[in-house]
Amino acid sequence: MPTTGALIVSGYTEAGYGAGPGVQRFALQDDGTVGERTAEAAGVRNPSFLAGAGGVLLAVEELKDGTVAALDPETLAVLGRASTGGADPCHVIHLGGSVWVANYSSGTAAVLPLAAVLEGAQPGALPGTEPGTELGTEPGAARPELLSHPGSGPVTGRQGESHAHQVTATPWGTVLVSDLGADRVDVYFADSRVLADSAELPPGTGPRHVSLKRGFMFVAGELDGHLHVLRRAEMAPGKGTGHFWRWLFKVPLAPTEGEIGLAKEFFPSHIQLSEDGTKLYAAVRGPNTLVVLDVSGVEGDSPRPPVFLNLVPSGGNWPRHFAVANHKIYVANQLSNNVAVFDLDENGLPGAEPVQTVAFGSPTCVVLA
């Protein structure tokens, strides 16, 4: 089937972070490679993560006074803004009409209605409404609900306090908040915002991003360089009702454990499962690699640890995020100012070299639209 749609890339714009264009939309060719640029956002500052939401595109603006902006996904015009109530928001999702944001530096998760993000827009500013309507750009006045569960960890300079790094919706009506500073993944009920549980990771893990495979959770340890596996389990009789996450094992995001210790820098960033759930892809900053693990054994009553399959250079420096689609991986290499495109073979493994490199200033996130 020919590829349709587009690739949308965001990147840092402010001094001290980067010097990129913000957000740009690119057409995709029939073979999945990146074509011409079709749109660029104006006035979006430090957009570090993107997510689709009810016909709009959300972008968190990673600033000390953090905001989340709603963009027209076709033109990238700004439709509205709202405060995230915290500092340096770095991740966002849309869930049931609400926007969930991870505020990294202030260590909180923010929840606000999508309507509040669009509050600055004038009537008729949503996609598909009357042309020529002026688009609002001022932050909405609604205050977000802030969820806080303070903690700390043993890694000096990185874990003195909580650092919320990702928000992830589950099929069970909860939202996971990865806390890099406290070595936890906190579990909140999506409807009540009440803290239900916390998945505890070994000290010094630094949980950054997670990926779910049925009743199993994979966690990228930014500070220890490992992939951690946890299992969702029922409470024992007499211990209460509901579920909790039990830590099972960890494996290095490298061919051997020793390579992590020898590396000057080794910081996993994003992880994502293959469409069939048998493989997990991970980007690692420092060695600048894409790692592939076989996770087919992580299932059932007797799960087996993931197995290292392959790694290739990321096609640039500091692979912060990637997207898997069209039998390809699109990698945002932040410090080399490029997006590298890799083919995936029939076994789901990336080629040794990118088939395309697209110039982009300080890329932080790539999404398919």
Side-chain angles (χ1 to χ4, degrees), residues 138-181:
E138 294 303 315
R143 292 181 177 274
E145 180 180 0
L146 295 179
L147 310 179
S148 177
H149 186 197
S152 60
V155 179
T156 303
R158 296 298 308 275
Q159 292 190 308
E161 58 189 354
S162 284
H163 293 301
H165 216 306
Q166 188 192 44
V167 283
T168 305
T170 77
W172 312 291
T174 57
V175 175
L176 308 176
V177 180
S178 305
D179 190 335
L180 185 146

Coordinates of all heavy atoms in Angstrom, one line a residue, residues 138-181:
E138 N -3.2 33.7 22.9 CA -2.9 33.9 24.3 C -3.2 32.7 25.2 O -4.2 32.0 24.9 CB -3.8 35.1 24.8 CG -3.4 36.4 24.1 CD -2.0 36.8 24.2 OE1 -1.4 36.7 25.4 OE2 -1.3 37.2 23.2
P139 N -2.5 32.5 26.2 CA -2.7 31.4 27.1 C -4.1 31.5 27.7 O -4.6 32.6 28.1 CB -1.6 31.5 28.2 CG -0.6 32.3 27.6 CD -1.3 33.3 26.6
G140 N -4.8 30.3 27.8 CA -6.1 30.3 28.5 C -6.0 30.6 30.0 O -4.9 30.4 30.6
A141 N -7.1 31.0 30.6 CA -7.0 31.4 32.0 C -7.2 30.2 32.9 O -7.0 30.4 34.1 CB -8.1 32.5 32.2
A142 N -7.8 29.1 32.4 CA -8.1 28.0 33.3 C -6.8 27.5 34.0 O -5.8 27.3 33.4 CB -8.8 26.9 32.5
R143 N -6.9 27.1 35.3 CA -5.8 26.6 36.0 C -5.8 25.1 35.9 O -6.8 24.4 36.2 CB -5.9 27.0 37.5 CG -5.6 28.5 37.7 CD -5.7 28.8 39.2 NE -5.4 30.2 39.4 CZ -4.2 30.8 39.6 NH1 -3.1 30.0 39.5 NH2 -4.0 32.0 39.8
P144 N -4.7 24.5 35.6 CA -4.6 23.0 35.5 C -4.7 22.4 36.9 O -4.3 23.0 37.9 CB -3.3 22.7 34.8 CG -2.4 23.9 35.2 CD -3.4 25.1 35.2
E145 N -5.2 21.2 37.0 CA -5.1 20.4 38.2 C -3.7 19.8 38.2 O -3.3 19.1 37.3 CB -6.2 19.3 38.2 CG -6.2 18.4 39.4 CD -7.3 17.4 39.3 OE1 -8.0 17.3 38.3 OE2 -7.4 16.6 40.3
L146 N -3.0 20.0 39.3 CA -1.6 19.5 39.5 C -1.6 18.2 40.4 O -2.1 18.3 41.5 CB -0.7 20.6 40.0 CG -0.5 21.8 39.1 CD1 0.4 22.8 39.8 CD2 0.0 21.4 37.8
L147 N -1.0 17.2 39.9 CA -0.8 16.0 40.7 C 0.6 15.8 41.1 O 1.6 15.9 40.2 CB -1.2 14.7 39.8 CG -2.6 14.8 39.1 CD1 -2.8 13.6 38.3 CD2 -3.7 15.1 40.1
S148 N 0.9 15.7 42.4 CA 2.2 15.7 42.9 C 2.4 14.5 43.9 O 1.6 14.2 44.7 CB 2.5 17.0 43.6 OG 3.8 17.0 44.2
H149 N 3.6 13.8 43.7 CA 3.9 12.8 44.6 C 5.4 12.9 44.8 O 6.2 12.1 44.2 CB 3.5 11.4 44.0 CG 3.8 10.2 45.0 ND1 3.8 8.9 44.5 CD2 4.0 10.2 46.3 CE1 4.0 8.1 45.5 NE2 4.1 8.9 46.6
P150 N 5.9 13.8 45.6 CA 7.3 14.1 45.7 C 8.2 12.9 46.1 O 7.8 12.0 46.9 CB 7.4 15.2 46.8 CG 6.0 15.8 46.8 CD 5.1 14.7 46.5
G151 N 9.4 12.9 45.6 CA 10.3 11.8 46.0 C 11.7 12.2 45.5 O 11.9 13.2 44.9
S152 N 12.7 11.3 45.7 CA 14.1 11.5 45.3 C 14.7 10.2 45.1 O 14.2 9.2 45.4 CB 14.8 12.4 46.3 OG 14.8 11.7 47.6
G153 N 16.0 10.3 44.6 CA 16.8 9.1 44.3 C 18.2 9.3 44.6 O 18.6 10.4 45.0
P154 N 19.1 8.3 44.4 CA 20.5 8.4 44.8 C 21.4 9.1 43.8 O 22.6 9.3 44.2 CB 20.9 6.9 45.0 CG 20.0 6.2 44.0 CD 18.7 6.9 43.9
V155 N 21.0 9.3 42.6 CA 22.0 9.9 41.6 C 22.1 11.4 41.8 O 21.2 12.2 41.6 CB 21.5 9.5 40.2 CG1 22.5 10.1 39.2 CG2 21.4 8.0 40.0
T156 N 23.3 11.8 42.3 CA 23.6 13.2 42.5 C 23.4 14.0 41.3 O 23.9 13.7 40.2 CB 25.0 13.4 43.1 OG1 25.1 12.5 44.2 CG2 25.3 14.8 43.4
G157 N 22.7 15.2 41.4 CA 22.6 16.1 40.3 C 21.4 15.8 39.4 O 21.0 16.6 38.6
R158 N 20.8 14.6 39.5 CA 19.7 14.2 38.7 C 18.4 13.8 39.5 O 17.3 13.8 38.9 CB 20.1 13.0 37.8 CG 21.2 13.3 36.7 CD 20.8 14.4 35.8 NE 19.5 14.2 35.1 CZ 19.3 13.4 34.0 NH1 20.4 12.8 33.5 NH2 18.1 13.3 33.5
Q159 N 18.6 13.4 40.7 CA 17.5 12.8 41.5 C 17.3 13.5 42.8 O 16.9 12.8 43.8 CB 17.7 11.3 41.7 CG 17.6 10.5 40.4 CD 17.6 9.0 40.6 OE1 18.4 8.5 41.3 NE2 16.6 8.3 40.0
G160 N 17.6 14.8 42.9 CA 17.4 15.5 44.2 C 15.9 15.7 44.5 O 15.5 15.9 45.6
E161 N 15.1 15.6 43.4 CA 13.6 15.7 43.6 C 12.9 15.0 42.5 O 13.6 14.5 41.5 CB 13.3 17.2 43.6 CG 13.7 17.9 42.3 CD 13.6 19.5 42.4 OE1 13.1 19.9 43.4 OE2 14.0 20.1 41.5
S162 N 11.6 15.0 42.5 CA 10.8 14.4 41.5 C 11.0 15.1 40.1 O 11.1 16.3 40.1 CB 9.3 14.4 41.8 OG 9.0 13.4 42.8
H163 N 11.0 14.3 39.0 CA 11.0 14.8 37.7 C 10.1 14.0 36.8 O 10.4 12.9 36.3 CB 12.5 14.8 37.1 CG 13.4 15.7 37.8 ND1 13.3 17.1 37.8 CD2 14.6 15.4 38.5 CE1 14.3 17.6 38.5 NE2 15.1 16.6 38.9
A164 N 8.9 14.5 36.6 CA 7.9 13.8 35.8 C 8.4 13.9 34.3 O 8.6 15.0 33.8 CB 6.5 14.4 35.9
H165 N 8.5 12.7 33.7 CA 9.0 12.7 32.3 C 8.1 12.2 31.2 O 8.3 12.5 30.1 CB 10.3 11.9 32.3 CG 11.4 12.4 31.3 ND1 11.1 12.7 30.0 CD2 12.6 12.8 31.5 CE1 12.2 13.2 29.4 NE2 13.1 13.3 30.4
Q166 N 7.1 11.5 31.6 CA 6.1 11.0 30.6 C 4.8 10.7 31.3 O 4.7 10.3 32.4 CB 6.7 9.7 29.9 CG 5.8 9.2 28.7 CD 6.2 7.8 28.3 OE1 6.4 6.9 29.1 NE2 6.3 7.6 27.0
V167 N 3.7 10.9 30.5 CA 2.4 10.5 30.9 C 1.9 9.5 29.9 O 1.9 9.7 28.7 CB 1.4 11.7 31.1 CG1 1.7 12.4 32.3 CG2 1.6 12.6 29.9
T168 N 1.3 8.3 30.4 CA 0.9 7.2 29.5 C -0.4 6.7 29.9 O -0.6 6.3 31.1 CB 2.0 6.1 29.5 OG1 3.3 6.6 29.2 CG2 1.6 5.0 28.6
A169 N -1.4 6.7 29.0 CA -2.7 6.1 29.3 C -2.6 4.6 29.3 O -1.9 4.0 28.4 CB -3.8 6.6 28.4
T170 N -3.4 3.9 30.1 CA -3.4 2.4 30.1 C -4.8 2.0 29.7 O -5.8 2.8 29.7 CB -3.1 1.8 31.5 OG1 -4.3 2.0 32.3 CG2 -1.9 2.5 32.2
P171 N -5.0 0.7 29.4 CA -6.3 0.2 29.0 C -7.2 0.0 30.3 O -8.4 -0.4 30.1 CB -6.0 -1.2 28.4 CG -4.6 -1.2 28.1 CD -3.9 -0.3 29.1
W172 N -6.7 0.2 31.5 CA -7.4 -0.1 32.7 C -7.9 1.2 33.4 O -8.3 1.2 34.6 CB -6.5 -0.8 33.7 CG -5.8 -1.9 33.0 CD1 -6.4 -3.1 32.5 CD2 -4.4 -2.0 32.6 NE1 -5.4 -3.9 31.9 CE2 -4.2 -3.3 31.9 CE3 -3.3 -1.2 32.8 CZ2 -3.0 -3.6 31.4 CZ3 -2.1 -1.6 32.3 CH2 -1.9 -2.8 31.6
G173 N -8.0 2.3 32.7 CA -8.5 3.5 33.2 C -7.6 4.3 34.1 O -8.0 5.0 35.0
T174 N -6.3 4.1 33.9 CA -5.3 4.8 34.7 C -4.3 5.5 33.8 O -4.3 5.3 32.6 CB -4.5 3.8 35.7 OG1 -3.9 2.8 34.9 CG2 -5.5 3.2 36.7
V175 N -3.5 6.4 34.4 CA -2.5 7.1 33.7 C -1.2 6.9 34.5 O -1.1 7.1 35.7 CB -2.8 8.6 33.6 CG1 -1.6 9.3 32.9 CG2 -4.0 8.8 32.7
L176 N -0.1 6.5 33.8 CA 1.2 6.3 34.4 C 2.0 7.6 34.2 O 2.1 8.2 33.2 CB 1.9 5.1 33.7 CG 1.2 3.8 33.5 CD1 2.0 2.8 32.7 CD2 0.8 3.3 34.9
V177 N 2.6 8.0 35.3 CA 3.5 9.1 35.3 C 4.9 8.7 35.7 O 5.2 8.3 36.8 CB 3.0 10.2 36.3 CG1 4.0 11.4 36.3 CG2 1.6 10.7 36.0
S178 N 5.8 8.7 34.7 CA 7.2 8.3 35.0 C 7.9 9.4 35.7 O 8.0 10.5 35.3 CB 8.0 8.1 33.6 OG 7.3 7.1 32.8
D179 N 8.5 9.0 36.9 CA 9.2 10.0 37.7 C 10.7 9.6 37.7 O 11.1 8.8 38.5 CB 8.7 10.0 39.1 CG 9.2 11.1 40.0 OD1 10.3 11.6 39.7 OD2 8.5 11.5 41.0
L180 N 11.5 10.3 36.9 CA 12.9 10.0 36.7 C 13.6 10.3 38.0 O 14.6 9.6 38.4 CB 13.5 10.9 35.6 CG 14.9 10.6 35.2 CD1 15.1 10.8 33.7 CD2 15.8 11.6 36.0
G181 N 13.2 11.3 38.8 CA 13.9 11.7 40.0 C 13.6 10.7 41.2 O 14.5 10.7 42.1

